[in-house]
Amino acid sequence: MTNQPPARMPLPLPTPTQENDFYWEKCKEHELWLRSCNACNEPYFYPRDMCPECHSRDTTWVQASGRGEVHAYAVVERPPTPAFAGEVPFVTALIKLEEGPILPTRIVGVEPVPDAVSIGMAGQIEFDDASETISLPVFRPN
Amino acid sequence: MTTGSDLSRVAAIIGVDESDEMGHVPHKSSMQHHAEAADNALRDAGLTLDDVDALFCAGVGTVSVAEYLGIVPKYTDTTSIGGSSFLAHVEHAMAAINAGLIDVALITHGEAGRSTRGRVGRDPTAAGSQYEAPYGMIGAPVAYAMACSRYMHMYGPERVRQGMADVSIATRKWALQNPKSFVNHPSWIGPADVGYEDYHDSRWIAWPFHIMDCCLVTDGGGACVVVSADVARNAKKKPAWILGSAEGHDHQIISQMPDLTRTIAHETGPRSMQMAGVTHDDIDLTMIYDSFTYTVLTTLESLGYCGPGEAPDFVANLRTGPGGDFPMNTSGGGLSYAHTGMYGMFLLIEATRQLRGESGDRQVEDCNLSLVHGTGGELSSTATLVLSNS
């Protein structure tokens, strides 16, 4: 958490389902939780009832540290939809979490220019209170 | 060349064509493009809609297209795996022909991609809507750009950038030789012939992509007629025999891609070539889905034309362009000829024309064997065909 929330992003926000309700509830509490497989003991993303690795349905939830590093990123200049017209330029990224899974997110706290970000850059997940019910995990480099 | 599998030469492509008007066609619907292309391709094949017993479409369902065309297929397939769908349809048609279920398959595509920009609604509970869209990860450019950033990081940003420029410019040079290219269309407002400076100066869409790394968005349609060997032997034009085919996918949304620098082409390429009994050196013309310059680089490597990280050198000095020793995407590609949204159909059209010797100024000499490779979604699906004119 920081005192300065990241810039507001308009819709489209996620629609929680029975399968991922717990994930979004925890995000609301500013905690990142991953679904994890009891059979192969690997956490995975995105949360689903069946482990995508070993296909077991014996799964649980584990809290992630929130630490990770930039795996890939893009500096988006042209709004992908009109909803993002006021947002560009912004930096989308795939973050490799300390626990292994890849989390798609946005990078905050940096200039939205290619050189301000680098692959392998370490940082921490924080949360953007996007609406009354949805808080989005975002990534702030250290 | 060694002997192919028993499925090789079971079926052939004997008709291909685009819709009547390509590029910027705001007055026509997607369905009109389907119908025009179907009619044109069947005429090219010397057949009519009455001969068609199987229909294949992607995106829009075969039920809608068959109704519009006024046909009653006895075999129907709406496999929709993105831009590679039509190449997968060729494999499915071949399998149905081999099973003795059909003789004449019609594959149609029509998409007013340019004139209906704004697109269909998304399922709000789908993984992409839940975990990627809220961040603006919507549409192909952002997804492919992130994958490309990883590739640049691994193999050196400057040499990768140079490879991207080479693909962009070489493909544009082919497009200038294709009268149906959007860059030859009256409504094209950008520069026609381009050099390295134009590439590097072109505006950013999503770093690392300049606009010249991105495919066009155009209106148009295409169709392809796949028939049994018996029908093919009596065709009015030289058939493009299907020697090899393979399809696959290993994720849908970009954050689920197992390796951002390698597509499932690493499986479909070898499988298709093994079925055909050919190696890379046998191929006269390579047609690779070029949604983005990066798509070409990663696909060349995934298909085994070169090793990981070697594609920028493989395409260096405009080697894939006119006059180069590795002709690729001779139509002008998705980058500069046409890209309606699901471009794969147009790969089939150009490969067939080249194998017949119908490609005019851009005709590749002694073009007898073509590898045709589609990619769909967010580097998600691939389908690889090997086609021969004998």
Side-chain angles (χ1 to χ4, degrees):
Chain A
M1 264 310 279
T2 61
N3 296 328
Q4 254 191 328
R8 177 87 308 101
M9 249 198 204
L11 301 173
L13 292 177
T15 308
T17 64
Q18 184 266 340
E19 198 173 31
N20 67 16
D21 200 38
F22 181 88
Y23 175 81
W24 291 117
E25 281 296 319
K26 288 298 180 186
C27 283
K28 189 74 204 146
E29 296 168 22
H30 292 194
E31 292 178 4
L32 184 68
W33 286 67
L34 298 169
R35 205 68 177 264
S36 186
C37 179
N38 286 327
C40 67
N41 290 315
E42 289 293 330
Y44 57 87
F45 192 85
Y46 48 90
R48 46 217 200 254
D49 288 345
M50 182 181 284
C51 168
E53 199 56 46
C54 76
H55 317 301
S56 168
R57 293 171 70 176
D58 179 12
T59 65
T60 187
W61 290 92
V62 295
Q63 186 171 3
S65 68
R67 288 188 292 274
E69 62 174 49
V70 177
H71 182 70
Y73 70 104
V75 183
V76 181
E77 296 281 350
R78 191 186 65 180
T81 71
F84 292 91
E87 304 288 323
V88 290
F90 58 88
V91 184
T92 64
L94 304 180
I95 301 300
K96 188 162 180 61
L97 298 172
E98 194 174 61
E99 293 80 9
I102 298 279
L103 182 81
T105 187
R106 160 171 60 111
I107 298 184
V108 299
V110 297
E111 282 295 302
V113 294
D115 290 346
V117 181
S118 62
I119 287 175
M121 189 180 240
Q124 180 77 27
I125 295 295
E126 60 183 47
F127 291 85
D128 170 11
D129 298 326
S131 75
E132 296 212 344
T133 52
I134 294 295
S135 296
L136 295 172
V138 295
F139 184 79
R140 183 179 292 271
N142 293 335
Chain B
M1 264 191 248
T2 56
T3 325
S5 92
D6 290 348
L7 273 173
S8 294
R9 293 191 176 80
V10 157
I13 297 171
I14 64 159
V16 291
D17 210 348
E18 291 104 338
S19 54
D20 297 355
E21 292 176 86
M22 300 273 290
H24 181 59
V25 195
H27 49 284
K28 283 186 181 169
S29 68
S30 297
M31 199 62 88
Q32 284 173 288
H33 290 294
H34 273 271
E36 291 174 4
D39 190 47
N40 296 342
L42 284 163
R43 187 173 306 108
D44 185 56
L47 299 174
T48 72
L49 276 169
D50 292 334
D51 299 309
V52 172
D53 51 18
L55 183 64
F56 297 74
C57 304
V60 60
T62 49
V63 179
S64 312
V65 175
E67 174 189 86
Y68 184 100
L69 295 173
I71 62 171
V72 183
K74 64 179 186 188
Y75 193 94
T76 183
D77 181 341
T78 311
T79 297
S80 219
I81 54 171
S84 60
S85 298
F86 314 103
L87 287 84
H89 292 165
V90 171
E91 175 167 79
H92 299 183
M94 179 191 73
I97 287 167
N98 187 58
L101 297 172
I102 60 169
D103 283 305
V104 178
L106 173 65
I107 309 169
T108 70
H109 165 64
E111 204 167 353
R114 186 175 191 81
S115 298
T116 60
R117 247 203 264 232
R119 72 178 55 198
V120 291
R122 304 166 63 97
D123 171 3
T125 66
S129 309
Q130 296 271 350
Y131 306 111
E132 292 190 351
Y135 303 105
M137 285 180 206
I138 299 173
V142 180
Y144 283 70
M146 288 195 295
C148 182
S149 78
R150 181 88 199 155
Y151 182 87
M152 283 180 139
H153 169 74
M154 287 177 69
Y155 299 120
E158 280 163 30
R159 55 184 290 274
V160 172
R161 174 65 67 194
Q162 182 61 32
M164 291 159 74
D166 274 302
V167 169
S168 178
I169 295 160
T171 310
R172 176 65 60 86
K173 292 189 183 304
W174 283 121
L176 294 173
Q177 300 184 16
N178 183 351
K180 294 189 177 178
S181 288
F182 193 48
V183 296
N184 289 325
H185 191 277
S187 66
W188 176 253
I189 50 167
D193 200 4
V194 288
Y196 291 113
E197 236 173 77
D198 300 290
Y199 170 85
H200 292 292
D201 291 346
S202 75
R203 68 188 169 93
W204 295 110
I205 297 297
W207 180 93
F209 289 161
H210 290 281
I211 194 165
M212 282 188 63
D213 290 302
C214 304
C215 67
L216 306 168
V217 182
T218 62
D219 301 323
C224 170
V225 182
V226 180
V227 300
S228 63
D230 283 347
V231 177
R233 277 190 276 274
N234 297 311
K236 75 172 192 183
K237 289 184 176 178
K238 196 184 266 190
W241 294 96
I242 301 156
L243 267 53
S245 72
E247 60 188 285
H249 42 78
D250 62 1
H251 67 285
Q252 183 201 4
I253 60 178
I254 195 67
S255 58
Q256 294 287 305
M257 188 169 179
D259 176 350
L260 295 171
T261 65
R262 187 178 78 161
T263 75
I264 196 68
H266 78 271
E267 287 190 8
T268 65
R271 282 214 314 272
S272 180
M273 293 174 78
Q274 189 177 14
M275 173 176 158
V278 304
T279 66
H280 298 94
D281 290 342
D282 298 323
I283 306 291
D284 301 311
L285 168 68
T286 301
M287 295 295 298
I288 288 183
Y289 200 119
D290 56 341
S291 44
F292 300 92
T293 51
Y294 171 62
T295 316
V296 174
L297 299 182
T298 184
T299 300
L300 283 168
E301 295 173 11
S302 300
L303 287 171
Y305 279 100
C306 55
E310 291 175 2
D313 302 326
F314 189 85
V315 301
N317 304 313
L318 307 179
R319 181 181 175 224
T320 65
D325 68 345
F326 186 81
M328 182 183 77
N329 295 346
T330 51
S331 59
L335 290 170
S336 288
Y337 145 66
H339 195 293
T340 50
M342 288 186 285
Y343 164 75
M345 175 61 74
F346 301 100
L347 297 165
L348 294 168
I349 293 174
E350 176 68 3
T352 303
R353 286 184 178 143
Q354 286 281 0
L355 290 170
R356 291 171 172 175
E358 288 182 346
S359 287
D361 292 344
R362 63 184 192 280
Q363 180 63 46
V364 172
E365 265 183 65
D366 299 321
C367 183
N368 300 313
L369 194 69
S370 180
L371 183 140
V372 192
H373 179 85
T375 304
E378 299 182 348
L379 294 159
S380 324
S381 71
T382 70
T384 315
L385 300 175
V386 177
L387 304 177
S388 165
N389 61 9
S390 63

